[in-house]
Amino acid sequence: KKGLGMLGKIQQRHLMILLSAFAVFICDIDRINMSVAIIPMAEDFGWGPQMQGTVLSSFFVGYLLLQIVGGTLADRYGAKVVLGTGVLLWSLFTMLTPLAASFGLGILILNRILMGMGEAVTFPSIYALLARWVPASERARAMGAINSGIPLGTVFALLATPLIVRVYGWEWAFYSFGLIGIIWFFVWQKLASSQPADHTNITAKELAHIQSEGEPSKAETAPPILSLLKSPAIRAIMVAHFCNNWSLFLLLTWLPTFINKGLGVDYASVGMFTMIPFITSFFFYNISGGIADRMIKSGMPVVRVRKIMQSISLGGMAAAMMVVGYSDNVWMAIGIMTLGNILGSAAIGGFVVNHMDIAPKYAGTLMGITNTVAAVPGIIGVYAAGMILELTGSWVLVFQVAGAVSIFGMFYYLRNASSDKQFD
């Protein structure tokens, strides 16, 4: 099978990784733009911190609902159709956000929930794709590259959204970002396939390489969800994922407001300061993935690699969260959060790829399960931050609650994590 032009020369698994990373990038910019646009929106609509927390957290209600369904569908019917449909739907709901807001808070919240349902299938679909496209010894690096879309999207949204708002109004932050996802959808339809053997441009050599370490077959039967939930190793992933996302969602949704309202930085400069921790995450996600893969190739037991990397991640983020609230200037706060994100990026070699160690055939379903649990902090954590600020005005308390959650997750994962293959 011969491809045309440059596409014939590219390793097709690398193209799948690149397209998946772009999907994550788009997922993130469409989520983050609300975190920035909500500042002028709150002024237009008269929302206080608690109401802003409600709007921001409503997205995660939808995000929670379709995780397992999305993963199961991707394992069974292929990631191409599931991920493509998800991107198309959430992009359309992103573009409808200004119209929804004009009809009132209830319609806006419903629109955010529906958008969250579209984004819910992203990572479960990508896990189902990678379990079939990427050999085990390359998965941490692949996930590092794909997860790079999160900080890259965050930086893009933090820089672009204030500029768009200032020049065209906050509505255009949603129109323009939604259009990017629709363009991606058509590219994805042309270039992607769920299974390596079905791709028109893959070479026999690359297909043999992908299959050399074992390739999970399509999940023809319903996933053993109850058995998955009974596994201590899978519960360890669930807890680590939950605790990781508590801090992640807190920063994604509230960091612009902390920089603006808590530290007194003017709105036009919020993006410039807020992007710094996420730029470092972009680089260190890739570095951490490479380090973890090299540790495994050197002969270190996989479970030890996972525990070391996860301890660095949650322990480092906990330390940053415990002290950042005491910062008395923006540079101190950004420096602390940057160090926290550098250490937090080690999760790429920890729980992030642990799903595919344990159950590669059901990797999409398993990611759906753990990401369902990990979406809960987006609801209760983001809302709780708004409540704490409304009642006490204390950013210190907001961050230290997140730090305590990270400490718990670190010890739980150390006690219960495993890398032994199960269920296949």
Side-chain angles (χ1 to χ4, degrees):
K1 299 176 183 178
K2 292 186 178 180
L4 298 175
M6 283 297 294
L7 291 180
K9 299 177 182 178
I10 296 173
Q11 295 286 298
Q12 296 307 308
R13 68 186 185 283
H14 297 157
L15 180 61
M16 294 301 102
I17 293 167
L18 179 63
L19 290 171
S20 298
F22 268 110
V24 171
F25 169 84
I26 297 164
C27 177
D28 203 66
I29 65 173
D30 287 347
R31 186 185 310 178
I32 293 299
N33 66 353
M34 177 60 85
S35 301
V36 181
I38 200 168
I39 298 174
M41 289 175 74
E43 294 175 357
D44 286 354
F45 295 109
W47 298 334
Q50 184 176 348
M51 195 58 67
Q52 293 175 55
T54 301
V55 172
L56 291 168
S57 64
S58 62
F59 165 89
F60 295 99
V61 175
Y63 193 68
L64 181 148
L65 290 175
L66 286 190
Q67 292 285 335
I68 298 175
V69 173
T72 301
L73 290 174
D75 283 334
R76 189 100 181 245
Y77 300 108
K80 178 178 179 177
V81 63
V82 178
L83 181 58
T85 302
V87 175
L88 182 62
L89 288 176
W90 92 58
S91 298
L92 291 173
F93 285 117
T94 296
M95 297 181 77
L96 287 172
T97 299
L99 180 63
S102 71
F103 281 103
L105 192 64
I107 300 299
L108 175 61
I109 289 172
L110 176 61
N111 186 81
R112 293 288 292 171
I113 291 171
L114 292 171
M115 179 189 162
M117 291 174 70
E119 290 204 4
V121 305
T122 306
F123 277 102
S125 298
I126 287 172
Y127 272 59
L129 188 79
L130 290 195
R132 290 155 178 82
W133 268 94
V134 180
S137 62
E138 299 177 10
R139 284 176 185 161
R141 279 174 293 171
M143 284 310 303
I146 288 170
N147 276 268
S148 296
I150 298 174
L152 195 63
T154 300
V155 170
F156 179 86
L158 290 172
L159 292 177
T161 305
L163 179 62
I164 293 170
V165 169
R166 205 162 54 241
V167 177
Y168 300 106
W170 59 261
E171 296 88 348
W172 278 94
F174 299 100
Y175 300 148
S176 55
F177 286 10
L179 181 61
I180 296 172
I182 293 173
I183 293 171
W184 177 95
F185 171 78
F186 288 106
V187 176
W188 176 254
Q189 292 302 111
K190 184 174 180 63
L191 299 180
S193 73
S194 298
Q195 301 278 353
D198 298 335
H199 201 285
T200 56
N201 286 328
I202 198 166
T203 64
K205 181 179 178 181
E206 184 180 8
L207 184 61
H209 173 73
I210 291 170
Q211 296 174 342
S212 65
E213 298 180 24
E215 181 187 25
S217 58
K218 185 183 295 185
E220 300 289 356
T221 58
I225 292 178
L226 290 179
S227 297
L228 290 169
L229 292 174
K230 291 177 181 178
S231 166
I234 288 175
R235 290 200 297 270
I237 299 174
M238 292 166 62
V239 170
H241 202 165
F242 176 97
C243 297
N244 178 85
N245 279 18
W246 188 290
S247 295
L248 174 64
F249 291 151
L250 177 66
L251 295 181
L252 290 177
T253 52
W254 282 107
L255 189 56
T257 302
F258 172 59
I259 298 296
N260 178 229
K261 304 296 185 183
L263 297 175
V265 175
D266 65 279
Y267 179 75
S269 302
V270 164
M272 293 296 294
F273 283 105
T274 310
M275 73 175 185
I276 295 173
F278 297 106
I279 288 176
T280 59
S281 293
F282 169 75
F283 291 107
F284 280 89
Y285 277 149
N286 291 284
I287 292 170
S288 297
I291 289 172
D293 282 345
R294 284 194 294 273
M295 290 166 71
I296 291 170
K297 286 181 178 180
S298 73
M300 184 178 291
V302 174
V303 68
R304 186 181 301 171
V305 174
R306 302 290 178 244
K307 289 183 177 182
I308 289 172
M309 299 298 282
Q310 196 56 50
S311 296
I312 293 170
S313 174
L314 286 173
M317 186 55 72
M321 288 291 181
M322 287 297 182
V323 300
V324 69
Y326 294 106
S327 304
D328 57 7
N329 66 77
V330 67
W331 286 112
M332 179 183 294
I334 292 301
I336 292 169
M337 289 316 310
T338 298
L339 180 59
N341 277 18
I342 288 172
L343 297 172
S345 69
I348 292 297
F351 86 87
V352 172
V353 289
N354 204 186
H355 308 69
M356 288 178 276
D357 297 329
I358 293 173
K361 181 187 291 188
Y362 298 110
T365 301
L366 181 52
M367 180 56 178
I369 292 171
T370 72
N371 218 21
T372 298
V373 175
V376 173
I379 302 170
I380 62 173
V382 171
Y383 181 78
M387 283 292 294
I388 291 169
L389 293 171
E390 186 90 25
L391 297 173
T392 70
S394 174
W395 285 102
V396 172
L397 185 57
V398 167
F399 290 120
Q400 289 191 345
V401 169
V405 170
S406 293
I407 291 170
F408 171 78
M410 179 182 69
F411 285 109
Y412 191 95
Y413 190 84
L414 277 172
R415 179 179 175 83
N416 295 289
S418 173
S419 63
D420 295 336
K421 185 181 290 187
Q422 305 171 25
F423 310 108
D424 284 351

